[in-house]
Amino acid sequence: MKRFLIQAAGLFCAVLHSGLISSQNITPAILQKYWSASWITVPGAPPNGYGVYLFRKTIELASQPATFVVHVSADNRYKLFVNEKLVSLGPVRGDLQHWHYETLDLAPYLKSGKNSIAAQVWNEAEWRPEAQISLQTAFIVQGATEALNVINTNSSWKCQRDSSYTPLRVAIPGYYVTGPGELVQLAKQAKNWQSLDFPDGDWKSAKTIFSGNPKNIQGQYGTPYGWMLIPSTLPQMEFKAERFAKVAKVQGIEIPAGFPNTKVDLNIPANTIATILLDQGYLTNAYPALQFSGGKDGSISLQYAEALFSKSPNKGNRNEVEGKQMIGRKDSLFADGSSNQTFTTLNFRTYRYVQLRIITKGETLTLHDISGNFTGYPFQLNSSLNTENTEIQKMLEIGWRTARLCAVETYMDCPYYEQLQYIGDARIQALVSLYNSGDERLLRQALDQMDQSRQPEGVTLSRHPSYTPQYIPTFSLWYIGMLHDYSRYGKDIVFVKNKLSGMRQILDYFRGFQAADGSLHDVPYWMFTDWVTAKDWVAGRGPLSKDGSSAMLDLQLLWAYQLAADLETKLGIKESAGIYQARALQLKKTIQSKYWDASKGLYADRMEKDLFSQHTNSLAILTGMLAPEQLAPLGKKLISDTNLAPASIYFKYYLHQALVKAGMGNDYLKWLDKWRENIQMGLSTWAETSELNTSRSDCHAWGSSPNIEFFRTLLGIESDGLNFSKVKIQPHLGEIKKISGSIPHPNGALAVSYEWVQNKWNIQVDLPGKTTGNLMWKGKILPLKSGVNKFVL
């Protein structure tokens, strides 16, 4: 493990760039036939109990190979080492019908002669994260060709249970489902077990379970079983070394200069209790890494938190530590007294603050280093925004950090508490990815996984993968919105076409709960809209009429019909488009007659017309319920009417789009007070809810919508056709006199600049090849061609 600490950051960079093989290059035999490799486990190990297991095999090669491609997976998780170097973590989470394997080229890590292949595999059993689906403890490696079958998992592999690990229960208020802490007794660990010369003669021969079988297996009576294997389409996760910024508080010991920002020895004398509160300076996802010597029978614990608590659930300013307490996930280890002991966690931890507590017995413990290794999906920031407005830059920075921490092998609502991929969150996260990076792979996987979660009755699950199914039917409607977004901004229209049947099934599901007038009634499960504390809002579901109907639910369904009709029309499927257009027209008439209050100039939340919200009226604008002359008055009421139930930081994504459609886009920067409050409260990421003092999660990417709107609303860059083939540029600059920026586009980079000079605007729009569009400027429509377009207006 010492080598892991020293080499991991550079190694993962190598894996990211040279080790991963495209799933398109996998041979047909791997994709369609039973593998010659078997799933293996440790003999006598409980199939579904908690445990950490070690597997190893020595292979001999006549020379260093030019390529050595393998396919690797495990249940629950694995770390794969080649000649002591960590080369892969996985697998990407999925479900049993879609179990991922990574495809890697091990050649850069192999040599002539003997080579050590080793894997650490663990099953957290009943402690496992909610996002982790499982069958039983198992591991598999398959050579890509018959010539590479020497590496295949079978009984020739040696194995042993690592008895040093015990799960630590987590006591955190609220919904926490991301796994246990670890209690590790280093004296029980096998030293250097990944090395070539490790004596494994007394290790057991691995027990085979059954052959690996791909999901799309051909023949064999159509009865695949167990893990139905599919290739991962994702790259390896990023892995980057991080240092803690400072010591925020210390008790029981003197801290040497430079600690912890630089590597310096910290001696904890015998019979001492030392408590050190470390501040990363910002929230991060990282594998903590410790290196220390001595301290036999002493203990070290690491406790992790996004923020400290004055008294749960109150957090206050996240920069403040005095008078506050640590509540969070914890790892503990017992030292064995040897030199250069090391520790890192099985899975990453999310933290800004880490409380390090060291208790020594009769021997001094020397802490050589403590640091972290950041991990996350390897998004590259390919957008830019140039402005003298430092607040915009700060918000972009925080939004991008938030989006990155909520994206690892899937999109996640939050990295600390849940790590679950919800559709409502992912729709916003997807556009953040496209506008800021252009990398579509995680987005397409999310759409695949949501489609795969669809139940026999037609509705998708609210989140997937998830060990416990959860139904939020409104999120199925947002799935249609997310698919429509991808059709406009993404590259692959064939991918979209293959999802249309699932979209139709979702709408058929809702059809079963529509009355004769089209209004929804008594839809089961959790009809969540937003986290709102207002009259008759129940657990995020808006007010219902006496007959069980709801304006905001009817409007969400209307929007889904409209988007489905638009997709079907643009893809040339006129019959289906006509069906959805007719349903939308009927529902639109019902909404108008049932919920419009002419005296107030507002749409009510329910037919009794006693409650009103920003949500219902935002959706009314976005679905085209109003005539053009009605938009501005309603938009102004959305801002000024304090009787409306307010949108949270999440639903402001839709509120702001409605205000822009109402002609108020020049005021966009005036609508960001909630984000300003986050900054003032010391957050380095956007909180889950608008009540910042008590917000459970300090990192929810659904709050990163400014990372879309600074480009879409402020700079005015928007798609105006399938695959972003046509562009609409309609800026809303407000008081800004000079600004420029660019975003990634399927055909290249797309850049704009605006500058007010001598009472005229100098405007330049640079479109990538094969792309046209229009500049919308004060009622004028000015055509744009590929290349450089310049205007003086």
Side-chain angles (χ1 to χ4, degrees):
M1 295 297 284
K2 179 180 177 182
R3 295 177 183 271
F4 168 83
L5 289 167
I6 295 172
Q7 300 175 359
L11 175 62
F12 263 73
C13 183
V15 171
L16 180 61
H17 289 97
S18 67
L20 195 79
I21 302 298
S22 169
S23 60
Q24 297 175 347
N25 296 324
I26 298 173
T27 61
I30 295 297
L31 295 170
Q32 299 169 357
K33 296 181 180 179
Y34 279 112
W35 291 5
S36 53
S38 294
W39 288 95
I40 59 173
T41 191
V42 175
N48 296 302
Y50 178 93
V52 179
Y53 303 92
L54 309 178
F55 297 86
R56 50 178 281 119
K57 181 170 183 172
T58 300
I59 62 173
E60 190 158 1
L61 302 174
S63 60
Q64 182 178 16
T67 61
F68 200 102
V69 177
V70 300
H71 312 292
V72 188
S73 192
D75 183 348
N76 302 158
R77 310 283 296 168
Y78 74 83
K79 293 179 181 179
L80 182 68
F81 301 83
V82 176
N83 290 327
E84 302 181 64
K85 295 179 180 179
L86 180 64
V87 300
S88 179
L89 285 84
V92 171
R93 284 172 176 159
D95 56 46
L96 294 180
Q97 291 73 41
H98 308 89
W99 196 270
H100 292 99
Y101 58 87
E102 279 70 47
T103 298
L104 306 164
D105 186 358
L106 303 185
Y109 317 108
L110 296 170
K111 60 185 180 181
S112 174
K114 292 184 177 181
N115 294 266
S116 167
I117 314 298
Q120 183 184 42
V121 176
W122 63 93
N123 185 342
E124 291 180 307
E126 70 269 26
W127 307 82
R128 83 270 144 316
E130 178 60 48
Q132 182 66 56
I133 293 171
S134 176
L135 180 63
Q136 72 169 88
T137 305
F139 175 60
I140 192 167
V141 180
Q142 168 69 56
T145 64
E146 188 173 347
L148 303 182
N149 283 355
V150 63
I151 201 171
N152 286 7
T153 44
N154 49 40
S155 59
S156 67
W157 279 67
K158 307 292 281 185
C159 60
Q160 177 175 282
R161 180 168 185 168
D162 186 342
S163 61
S164 68
Y165 283 87
T166 305
L168 270 182
R169 184 180 296 276
V170 177
I172 298 176
Y175 186 56
Y176 171 87
V177 290
T178 59
E182 299 163 19
L183 175 62
V184 183
Q185 300 180 65
L186 295 179
K188 293 185 177 182
Q189 285 194 339
K191 304 294 183 183
N192 302 316
W193 63 274
Q194 309 101 319
S195 67
L196 186 63
D197 56 1
F198 178 80
D200 60 10
D202 60 345
W203 282 32
K204 299 178 180 178
S205 296
K207 175 185 176 182
T208 60
I209 305 174
F210 47 72
S211 298
N213 63 89
K215 179 172 178 60
N216 296 318
I217 194 167
Q218 294 182 349
Q220 304 296 334
Y221 310 109
T223 56
Y225 52 92
W227 303 272
M228 299 184 190
L229 291 162
I230 62 171
S232 170
T233 57
L234 303 184
Q236 285 282 338
M237 298 301 103
E238 183 178 349
F239 210 75
K240 181 178 66 178
E242 288 184 327
R243 305 296 308 187
F244 287 95
K246 63 181 181 180
V247 173
K249 203 171 184 180
V250 62
Q251 290 179 316
I253 196 171
E254 294 293 326
I255 298 297
F259 179 89
N261 193 253
T262 57
K263 185 176 180 180
V264 57
D265 281 357
L266 171 61
N267 292 309
I268 298 90
N271 303 308
T272 298
I273 299 177
T275 304
I276 306 168
L277 182 64
L278 301 173
D279 184 357
Q280 182 69 39
Y282 52 83
L283 199 66
T284 190
N285 294 336
Y287 290 87
L290 285 176
Q291 185 180 10
F292 57 97
S293 294
K296 183 175 175 58
D297 298 325
S299 65
I300 302 175
S301 69
L302 300 97
Q303 194 165 14
Y304 315 93
E306 294 182 314
L308 304 181
F309 292 82
S310 53
K311 184 178 181 181
S312 181
N314 298 315
K315 297 180 179 179
N317 191 294
R318 303 325 193 249
N319 295 325
E320 297 171 357
V321 299
E322 289 303 321
K324 292 188 174 182
Q325 60 179 320
M326 165 69 72
I327 301 174
R329 187 180 193 173
K330 181 188 291 187
D331 297 310
S332 294
L333 54 146
F334 289 97
D336 65 12
S338 64
S339 297
N340 292 318
Q341 300 163 74
T342 60
F343 171 75
T344 191
T345 50
L346 298 172
N347 284 314
F348 71 83
R349 302 293 187 249
T350 300
Y351 56 83
R352 173 177 171 177
Y353 292 101
V354 175
Q355 184 165 280
L356 184 66
R357 185 173 173 83
I358 304 174
I359 302 175
T360 57
K361 299 298 185 181
E363 183 175 290
T364 295
L365 186 148
T366 300
L367 179 63
H368 301 304
D369 197 22
I370 179 169
S371 62
N373 289 293
F374 166 81
T375 191
Y377 184 86
F379 279 121
Q380 299 295 311
L381 183 60
N382 294 319
S383 64
S384 65
L385 197 150
N386 306 301
T387 174
E388 295 177 355
N389 187 320
T390 57
E391 182 182 70
I392 290 176
Q393 299 290 7
K394 182 69 172 177
M395 289 183 180
L396 280 170
E397 173 195 334
I398 294 174
W400 183 239
R401 180 182 297 116
T402 307
R404 291 220 59 198
L405 296 188
C406 294
V408 186
E409 295 159 359
T410 65
Y411 288 122
M412 303 182 300
D413 63 326
C414 58
Y416 191 98
Y417 287 88
E418 296 188 46
Q419 297 179 8
L420 289 164
Q421 182 171 243
Y422 289 90
I423 301 174
D425 305 62
R427 184 187 185 189
I428 298 172
Q429 291 170 280
L431 274 183
V432 172
S433 300
L434 290 178
Y435 265 99
N436 291 259
S437 175
D439 188 332
E440 301 183 352
R441 290 171 290 184
L442 198 63
L443 189 168
R444 288 199 300 266
Q445 177 184 271
L447 285 168
D448 276 338
Q449 291 181 325
M450 294 309 175
D451 192 38
Q452 290 158 5
S453 81
R454 197 173 60 256
Q455 300 299 291
E457 59 266 38
V459 70
T460 68
L461 298 178
S462 69
R463 63 193 193 194
H464 197 67
S466 174
Y467 189 85
T468 305
Q470 186 196 61
Y471 294 80
I472 303 178
T474 46
F475 277 18
S476 288
L477 300 177
W478 290 142
Y479 166 83
I480 294 173
M482 184 175 171
L483 183 65
H484 187 268
D485 291 343
Y486 180 73
S487 76
R488 298 179 66 225
Y489 293 94
K491 299 176 184 178
D492 191 348
I493 203 62
V494 175
F495 177 89
V496 176
K497 288 180 179 178
N498 290 336
K499 295 287 185 286
L500 291 184
S501 62
M503 178 188 75
R504 294 167 190 150
Q505 289 178 48
I506 291 169
L507 292 173
D508 284 347
Y509 168 83
F510 281 95
R511 186 69 172 164
F513 298 98
Q514 287 184 265
D517 64 358
S519 186
L520 283 171
H521 291 261
D522 303 320
V523 183
Y525 309 118
W526 187 17
M527 297 297 283
F528 175 88
T529 296
D530 189 21
W531 288 121
V532 175
T533 302
K535 181 176 171 54
D536 287 356
W537 280 76
V538 180
R541 189 213 66 205
L544 295 180
S545 308
K546 290 181 180 179
D547 68 355
S549 64
S550 160
M552 64 186 70
L553 299 182
D554 285 347
L555 284 161
Q556 281 185 258
L557 178 61
L558 171 61
W559 202 4
Y561 277 141
Q562 292 170 338
L563 296 179
D566 184 64
L567 261 181
E568 302 274 14
T569 298
K570 288 178 177 173
L571 294 176
I573 310 169
K574 295 182 179 179
E575 183 176 354
S576 294
I579 292 172
Y580 297 137
Q581 287 166 349
R583 292 181 187 175
L585 181 61
Q586 179 194 42
L587 186 51
K588 198 171 183 180
K589 291 177 180 177
T590 296
I591 292 169
Q592 185 66 29
S593 63
K594 195 169 185 177
Y595 305 113
W596 174 248
D597 188 326
S599 66
K600 288 186 171 63
L602 292 165
Y603 287 90
D605 290 342
R606 56 190 181 190
M607 62 185 295
E608 289 80 7
K609 299 181 181 178
D610 58 339
L611 297 174
F612 302 82
S613 67
Q614 288 184 327
H615 308 76
T616 290
N617 288 281
S618 295
L619 292 170
I621 291 173
L622 292 170
T623 53
M625 289 296 303
L626 297 106
E629 65 272 12
Q630 294 176 296
L631 289 173
L634 182 54
K636 291 176 182 177
K637 288 181 181 179
L638 281 174
I639 293 293
S640 63
D641 193 336
T642 58
N643 293 317
L644 301 181
S648 79
I649 192 170
Y650 157 54
F651 208 89
K652 285 180 186 292
Y653 173 70
Y654 299 104
L655 169 64
H656 293 169
Q657 289 180 71
L659 293 171
V660 172
K661 189 172 180 179
M664 301 169 64
N666 283 319
D667 291 334
Y668 177 72
L669 294 180
K670 299 178 182 178
W671 306 332
L672 302 178
D673 285 348
K674 185 51 60 179
W675 286 266
R676 295 182 180 102
E677 185 183 345
N678 272 252
I679 295 172
Q680 292 164 3
M681 290 284 282
L683 281 95
S684 61
T685 49
W686 305 128
E688 176 181 7
T689 63
S690 293
E691 291 72 36
L692 297 185
N693 187 47
T694 58
S695 177
R696 180 194 56 149
S697 163
D698 272 7
C699 184
H700 251 63
W702 65 15
S704 293
S705 56
N707 281 59
I708 303 168
E709 303 308 340
F710 285 142
F711 297 97
R712 182 166 65 181
T713 296
L714 208 61
L715 296 182
I717 304 171
E718 188 170 2
S719 174
D720 200 24
L722 292 177
N723 296 131
F724 223 155
S725 58
K726 193 173 182 181
V727 175
K728 181 173 76 171
I729 306 295
Q730 188 172 11
H732 300 87
L733 301 176
E735 302 300 318
I736 294 174
K737 299 301 182 184
K738 183 179 180 181
I739 194 169
S740 63
S742 67
I743 67 164
H745 182 280
N747 296 332
L750 192 165
V752 297
S753 67
Y754 308 95
E755 185 174 9
W756 178 252
V757 179
Q758 296 180 348
N759 295 321
K760 290 186 178 181
W761 282 99
N762 290 337
I763 300 173
Q764 181 168 320
V765 179
D766 297 350
L767 297 187
K770 302 178 182 179
T771 309
T772 61
N774 292 301
L775 170 64
M776 320 296 285
W777 187 263
K778 297 182 179 180
K780 296 179 181 179
I781 302 176
L782 305 172
L784 300 168
K785 64 182 188 304
S786 298
V788 178
N789 299 264
K790 293 185 177 182
F791 304 90
V792 179
L793 300 170

